[in-house]
Structures are given as structure tokens and as C-alpha cells.
Amino acid sequence: MFIELLAHDDYLRVLNALERKGLRFTEVQRSLKLNPARVDRAITFLKKARLIVPETIPAEKGPILVRYRLARRGSIFLKAFGSFVETLRSKPEFGDSEVADFHHLTK
Amino acid sequence: MAVVFLLGPGMWEPSKGGAPASQTPMDVRRKIAKVLRDFHHTVVLMENEPGRKAEDIIQKFDRLLRSKVTDVVLYWPPSAKMQTTYDELILLYDRQRFLRKSRIALWVLHHVSVAKITGDTFRVLEAGHRSRYLEAIARLGVTPLEWETDGDLEGWIQLLVSELGS
């Protein structure tokens, strides 16, 4: 599962986007400039992997809106992945170009 | 560790068809309770708790809900007799102020035939007026966990193990 996560930029980017606060589907789409099909694929994967969960937004009337937030498992993964990237950053001998791909994934 | 009030049906509804003979919804809820207990959560099942003298069903529901519950989990399979669960949802909805004040989290483990998320929107698929019960609860703010297969359901139960009480 984690291999598949690392193999897809979109999945990691969506997971990162949810780190600070929960976002609705269209908010994820706008903030990452992704088309709906790509967001849908990422969210479907991340839910199945139990890294994120949906939650309905309390409201008395109108459509029942949903936002996605990190599950504990997703939060733990991002912390671990963040440490990994930090280690890469703290080793200048690795060289910028060699680790640029990893930096991109945390943006 | 969480104190979980685990709600949901006990029996299949033969007229809805497609119900597995091997286990009832109550059996499934008991299995869910066992998994959660194995990870040190406390689980309250209405039918397992004896009623007190002169206590009616509503008073019993109130007493159990107010016994330091941190999370309410609703198990909602297809093809089950739902009337008692609808009643429980009404009782829950009527106590929304208490739920908010006590910061009790609501989780709905529902089959794909019950509700669906499309884009930004959660939509209840239950037929006719019956959809209003789950809609009313969803408007309070719930975590809907959709499953289709037993494997999906097991995955969400594992998620609950780590998320409950947090």
C-alpha cells in the first residue's frame, strides 16, 4: 500500500493538502489544480488505505457537505515521511538535484 | 480509551432479500464489539445491558448514552430490520445538544446501498421517507464509513480501533 502511495504524486499531494485542515473535494481540486477524475482516484485510494476519512459538515439545511481529514494513520505516515525528507535536506552532500523529487512531493 | 455506544439492527428483514443466513446483524455487531474490546475500548450494546427496575426503553437509552460515552458507532447493513434503529436515531437526534456538549463523535458504518458520497455531497439512498432518519443524523456531523464487502468492513473496524476516543 505504501509503495503504491509513493508511486503516485497525486496521492501524496492530496494527503499533504489535508495536513493542516480538512478540505472538501472541490477545495482539494482547486488548491492542487487537479481535475475531478484525478482527485477522485486519489481520495478513493487514500480512503481505502485508511489514511483519510470523510466527515459531514454540520448544517441545518441544504445539501449535506463532506470534507476529508487525515486519519491517525495518515498523520503518522506524513510525520514519518516528513522526517525522511528532512534528513535528505540536512545532508548537503546528497546534492539538490538528487533529492528534488522528494521535495516536490511535500509541497 | 473510548467508551463506544454501538447501535444498529439485530435481525434481517426477509422481505428485503439477500440476507446471509450464517450471521445476523446482531452477530456482526457483537464481532465488532469484540474487536474493539480486544484493543481495550469499552463497548455498550443496548441488548446486552439489563434494564433497571421501572426503567423504560427511552430511559435506558438515556442512561447508557450518559455513561461516559465518547463515541457512537452505528452499524448499518443492507436488508436488515431497521425500525428499532430508526427509533434510536430519533432518540440520538433529540439529544444533539448533549452530544455536542459532551463532544461525542458519531460514526456511521454504512453499506454502499445506504448512502453515497459524490464530490462534495453526502446523499442518503434509503427509499422514501426513511432517508430522513440518517439525513438528520448526518446533519449533526458524522464520519460516514462506506463498505461493500466484509473486507471493507474489517478495514474500517481497524480504523475505528485507532481513531475512537481521539
Side-chain angles (χ1 to χ4, degrees), chain B residues 49-123:
Chain B
E49 300 295 324
R52 289 181 180 168
K53 199 176 172 186
E55 180 183 58
D56 64 27
I57 197 76
I58 298 173
Q59 290 166 329
K60 181 180 172 182
F61 183 91
D62 255 332
R63 173 170 59 81
L64 296 177
L65 182 65
R66 289 161 202 270
S67 55
K68 296 185 179 165
V69 164
T70 57
D71 300 80
V72 173
V73 175
L74 170 65
Y75 165 64
W76 195 315
S79 313
K81 277 188 181 170
M82 293 305 293
Q83 191 52 57
T84 310
T85 307
Y86 294 147
D87 295 342
E88 289 172 346
L89 295 184
I90 294 167
L91 293 174
L92 209 53
Y93 184 79
D94 283 348
R95 283 143 188 81
Q96 57 181 286
R97 194 172 291 177
F98 173 75
L99 296 172
R100 262 198 303 271
K101 191 174 156 213
S102 307
R103 303 171 69 87
I104 294 174
L106 305 175
W107 305 81
V108 183
L109 272 173
H110 68 86
H111 187 258
V112 290
S113 61
V114 172
K116 186 174 180 57
I117 296 172
T118 310
D120 281 348
T121 313
F122 177 81
R123 202 158 46 88

Side-chain angles (χ1 to χ4, degrees), chain A residues 24-27 47-48 50-73, chain B residues 107 117 119-124 134-146 152 154-156 158-159 162-163 166:
Chain A
R24 299 205 315 256
F25 185 97
T26 48
E27 291 172 332
K47 269 201 297 184
K48 201 170 171 62
R50 308 196 303 273
L51 295 165
I52 64 169
V53 285
E55 57 188 10
T56 62
I57 302 171
E60 283 180 15
K61 53 187 176 184
I64 302 169
L65 296 177
V66 172
R67 69 181 157 226
Y68 293 91
R69 66 168 175 84
L70 288 185
R72 281 172 63 89
R73 193 171 145 89
Chain B
W107 305 81
I117 296 172
D120 281 348
T121 313
F122 177 81
R123 202 158 46 88
V124 180
L134 182 53
E135 267 176 24
I137 293 298
R139 287 186 181 286
L140 302 180
V142 303
T143 303
L145 304 175
E146 178 187 292
D152 300 337
E154 281 164 22
W156 287 132
Q158 287 307 316
L159 175 124
S162 63
E163 296 280 324
S166 60

Side-chain angles (χ1 to χ4, degrees), chain B residues 10-29:
Chain B
M11 289 174 283
W12 300 120
E13 172 59 69
S15 66
K16 290 183 181 173
S22 56
Q23 55 182 2
T24 65
M26 192 183 293
D27 295 332
V28 178
R29 280 195 296 123

